[in-house]
Amino acid sequence: GAVVSQHPSWVICKSGTSVKIECRSLDFQATTMFWYRQFPKQSLMLMATSNEGSKATYEQGVEKDKFLINHASLTLSTLTVTSAHPEDSSFYICSARVPQETQYFGPGTRLLVL
Amino acid sequence: DAKTTQPPSMDCAEGRAANLPCNHSTISGNEYVYWYRQIHSQGPQYIIHGLKNNETNEMASLIITEDRKSSTLILPHATLRDTAVYYCIVRSYSSASKIIFGSGTRLSIRP
């Protein structure tokens, strides 16, 4: 199957700082990328959908000014958690697909905000 | 996209076949059945998908009932490494389609 990578795999930051997470499709061009968040012992929750070259569509309850998503190319999407706080600590997972194809997931990024 | 119903947990002996059921009674004609699994602290891994015919690959088999209202994922010879949460998902190939995860089935493989 297709490979999706994320960087970094884990990050620790101080409260109030911003953190950027990268998601790359390594062997295919992804027209659509997704960002999920997962808290301990819970299922994945979809945060937003981004299409290359256009603004992301956020799910209800997700603050677009706090979670900035950029999908600048067909192989790269970034999620920036702005002014992170301890409640933003979570496991962030990206996913990518091309039309009419299977959606593949990255390995996830664990964020800890102190 | 249609919703799915899965048992919260199951267990299976190592070496035996693990059969994971999924109900998707409101599935539409253009929606596929997908299975993913998530091993602890990793991203979801694609397993298999199908529309109406049974499918088999190197990981598993997918059996879809004739009315398409339910399906079963079969891991033919379960190993300890198959311990994970398994998600059954229904989605179409429309550009607006997105994967919404339910609670899945937590599969435990006992030695």
Side-chain angles (χ1 to χ4, degrees):
Chain A
V3 180
V4 177
S5 71
Q6 285 184 238
H7 177 79
S9 56
W10 58 270
V11 58
I12 302 173
C13 70
K14 292 182 178 180
S15 185
T17 61
S18 294
V19 174
K20 179 185 284 188
I21 302 170
E22 291 187 351
C23 174
R24 294 181 185 274
S25 55
L26 297 186
D27 50 2
F28 67 103
Q29 294 187 322
T31 51
T32 306
M33 287 186 168
F34 304 85
W35 287 95
Y36 293 80
R37 179 169 56 179
Q38 185 176 33
F39 293 107
K41 300 189 185 300
Q42 294 185 21
S43 189
L44 286 79
M45 184 187 76
L46 179 65
M47 300 175 67
T49 302
S50 73
N51 292 295
E52 186 263 341
S54 60
K55 288 186 177 181
T57 302
Y58 291 81
E59 295 296 306
Q60 190 172 8
V62 178
E63 301 174 59
K64 62 180 181 181
D65 294 330
K66 180 162 187 65
F67 300 99
L68 302 179
I69 293 172
N70 183 278
H71 190 165
S73 77
L74 288 173
T75 60
L76 173 64
S77 175
T78 60
L79 168 69
T80 301
V81 183
T82 62
S83 186
H85 291 285
E87 58 266 29
D88 298 322
S89 298
S90 189
F91 190 46
Y92 291 88
I93 304 166
C94 76
S95 179
R97 74 164 189 232
V98 295
Q100 309 292 319
E101 294 290 341
T102 296
Q103 188 168 324
Y104 293 96
F105 290 81
T109 296
R110 194 162 299 280
L111 170 64
L112 177 61
V113 184
L114 302 177
Chain B
D1 296 318
K3 290 188 177 179
T4 63
T5 304
Q6 300 177 252
S9 64
M10 293 181 66
D11 66 70
C12 176
E14 190 176 19
R16 303 298 292 270
N19 297 281
L20 291 87
C22 179
N23 286 322
H24 31 79
S25 57
T26 60
I27 191 170
S28 300
N30 66 339
E31 290 180 317
Y32 290 75
V33 179
Y34 273 80
W35 283 83
Y36 290 83
R37 72 180 182 184
Q38 186 179 26
I39 295 170
H40 183 62
S41 295
Q42 297 182 25
Q45 178 189 21
Y46 165 77
I47 301 173
I48 199 168
H49 76 281
L51 183 62
K52 53 184 178 181
N53 296 324
N54 297 337
E55 302 287 344
T56 295
N57 62 20
E58 64 278 4
M59 289 183 68
S61 294
L62 173 60
I63 308 298
I64 302 174
T65 58
E66 194 170 340
D67 62 8
R68 304 212 317 126
K69 293 185 176 182
S70 65
S71 60
T72 302
L73 177 74
I74 302 173
L75 307 178
H77 305 287
T79 70
L80 297 177
R81 289 180 295 180
D82 291 322
T83 294
V85 178
Y86 287 76
Y87 296 98
C88 169
I89 292 158
V90 171
R91 62 161 282 227
S92 69
Y93 276 172
S94 76
S95 58
S97 175
K98 49 193 177 185
I99 289 180
I100 304 296
F101 285 86
S103 303
T105 295
R106 184 171 297 277
L107 178 65
S108 299
I109 307 299
R110 58 181 188 274

